[in-house]
Amino acid sequence: MAPTIRPATEADQLTIRRLIKEAGINRMSLQWPNFVVAEDGGAIVGIGQVKTHGDGSRELASIAVIPARQSEGIGAAIINSLLTREQGVVHLTCRSQLQGYYERFGFRRLDPPEFPRYFRRMIPIINVVARLVGTQILVMRREAN
Ligand SMILES: CC(C)(COP(=O)(O)OP(=O)(O)OC[C@H]1O[C@@H](n2cnc3c(N)ncnc32)[C@H](O)[C@@H]1OP(=O)(O)O)[C@@H](O)C(=O)NCCC(=O)NCCS
């Protein structure tokens, strides 16, 4: 059966932190009120959030599905659930390998001059490290509805 996508609760906070750690993605800003979780038979099999930056802009982030359940459409269900609530512009950052994946949801890769200010300073520094492990971090945008 397909997992249920529901808003996270405070009881999910530790699981959110654990899944992010296991997925090896950014561990900052993991407040449960911003998350939805995919739950199946009482177990959380995937998570994701939209977080708000100081300037009010919104970022899709922390999308993670447990390895045993990847490629079943759970990531897509989490992303669609988060995006249906977003009327305005949404950004994300991702490894270059995932550009095609996020294009399916209406995101477009930005050139550096188009980056919002909060990414402009950070991304070049992150990419010095990313290059060492053979990847690149992209910034993508989905326009307002
Ligand atoms: C990326 C992720 C969230 C996708 O979730 P999912 O439930 O497996 O994805 P879906 O079932 O919706 O879609 C599967 C498709 O996504 C694409 N995809 C998934 N992971 C990918 C990767 N690492 N590189 C390139 N494409 C990928 C593929 O096209 C895949 O299709 P396939 O199964 O036929 O190969 C999941 O792989 C994951 O948790 N990865 C580790 C954490 C991570 O990298 N998160 C993204 C941070 S930006």
Side-chain angles (χ1 to χ4, degrees):
M1 218 176 75
T4 305
I5 312 292
R6 61 161 175 83
T9 68
E10 195 171 357
D12 300 319
Q13 183 72 72
L14 287 177
T15 308
I16 289 169
R17 287 195 192 290
R18 180 172 54 79
L19 294 185
I20 292 296
K21 190 175 168 196
E22 287 170 2
I25 56 178
N26 185 359
R27 297 186 205 179
M28 290 188 313
S29 303
L30 301 179
Q31 284 88 2
W32 65 264
N34 296 331
F35 276 79
V36 298
V37 301
E39 190 175 51
D40 198 356
I44 293 178
V45 295
I47 57 177
Q49 68 164 325
V50 174
K51 58 187 177 187
T52 309
H53 292 281
D55 60 1
S57 57
R58 310 272 288 162
E59 180 184 349
L60 180 74
S62 313
I63 311 297
V65 175
I66 62 167
R69 300 296 301 270
Q70 288 178 4
S71 297
E72 292 180 26
I74 297 172
I78 291 168
I79 293 167
N80 284 325
S81 155
L82 288 164
L83 291 179
T84 50
R85 312 167 184 182
E86 301 296 320
Q87 299 304 312
V89 172
V90 180
H91 288 93
L92 63 78
T93 64
C94 66
R95 281 170 287 123
S96 56
Q97 292 88 334
L98 286 168
Q99 177 178 343
Y101 183 65
Y102 288 113
E103 282 173 346
R104 297 178 199 168
F105 304 96
F107 286 86
R108 173 181 70 84
R109 178 179 177 172
L110 298 185
D111 291 324
E114 302 174 284
F115 287 5
R117 201 173 41 181
Y118 58 85
F119 291 130
R120 213 172 290 158
R121 276 171 301 159
M122 193 176 68
I123 295 295
I125 299 165
I126 291 174
N127 271 328
V128 171
V129 181
R131 260 195 296 277
L132 296 176
V133 294
T135 189
Q136 188 191 359
I137 301 299
L138 309 181
V139 180
M140 300 183 75
R141 174 188 292 157
R142 179 177 177 264
E143 300 299 340
N145 287 340

